[in-house]
Amino acid sequence: MTHPHLIATAADAQQFVLGGRARFTLVSKPTGKRYTYRVSKAKDTDDVFFASLLVGQNNEQDYEYIGFTKNGNALIPGRKGNPSHPAFLGLDWALRQFSAGKMPEQLEIWHEGRCARCGRALTDPASIEAGFGPECINHI
């Protein structure tokens, strides 16, 4: 059995990341290095998502904007984004892999037990495993 907060497939990972209010951590299995991101859907559009990186200790507020993606295909640097930073490169690479239907063996993606669409805490085991609440899963 896999851990319920570990996302196992590329399709599930892409669906979660593009849920609208996703917070997740990418972990490199070979190095153990990890980065935590927040990806939020832009208002007034269905295909633009803003990516931010956790840069401090406060998991609610210490995020810094790094770029955006259209339909989750690749990460495009924003004004403050540094396209050579390992966290930017990691998310860009992961998005490209997910959109190609590949879940890299050397990568883990973990969610924190909150719905990727609305951000509410998930309590039902099936919802925790899916990464979406029972109402939100019907909207994706």
Side-chain angles (χ1 to χ4, degrees):
M1 182 179 146
T2 62
H3 190 281
H5 293 216
L6 178 64
I7 301 172
T9 70
D12 289 345
Q14 186 169 35
Q15 184 179 45
F16 185 85
V17 169
L18 302 179
R21 293 184 64 185
R23 284 195 285 188
F24 57 94
T25 300
L26 295 178
V27 181
S28 167
K29 288 182 186 178
T31 67
K33 188 71 176 165
R34 65 181 183 267
Y35 292 103
T36 299
Y37 304 91
R38 181 175 61 195
V39 176
S40 304
K41 183 175 172 268
K43 293 178 181 160
D44 303 327
T45 181
D46 286 335
D47 64 346
V48 176
F49 298 83
F50 299 116
S52 299
L53 173 68
L54 181 64
V55 295
Q57 295 179 351
N58 186 325
N59 290 348
E60 299 294 324
Q61 298 176 358
D62 290 345
Y63 286 88
E64 187 174 288
Y65 173 72
I66 60 172
F68 68 96
T69 181
K70 287 189 172 192
N71 293 321
N73 296 326
L75 190 61
I76 301 162
R79 283 185 313 179
K80 296 181 181 180
N82 178 354
S84 62
H85 189 279
F88 183 95
L89 294 171
L91 181 57
D92 179 52
W93 178 77
L95 289 172
R96 290 173 191 270
Q97 296 297 307
F98 301 155
S99 69
K102 300 175 187 173
M103 181 55 116
E105 281 188 33
Q106 66 269 38
L107 179 71
E108 291 181 340
I109 178 170
W110 293 81
H111 72 81
E112 63 178 21
R114 293 189 173 276
C115 178
R117 184 170 181 270
C118 71
R120 291 184 181 154
L122 299 170
T123 57
D124 179 68
S127 295
I128 293 169
E129 190 165 348
F132 292 89
E135 293 178 25
C136 290
I137 195 76
N138 296 322
H139 295 279
I140 56 169

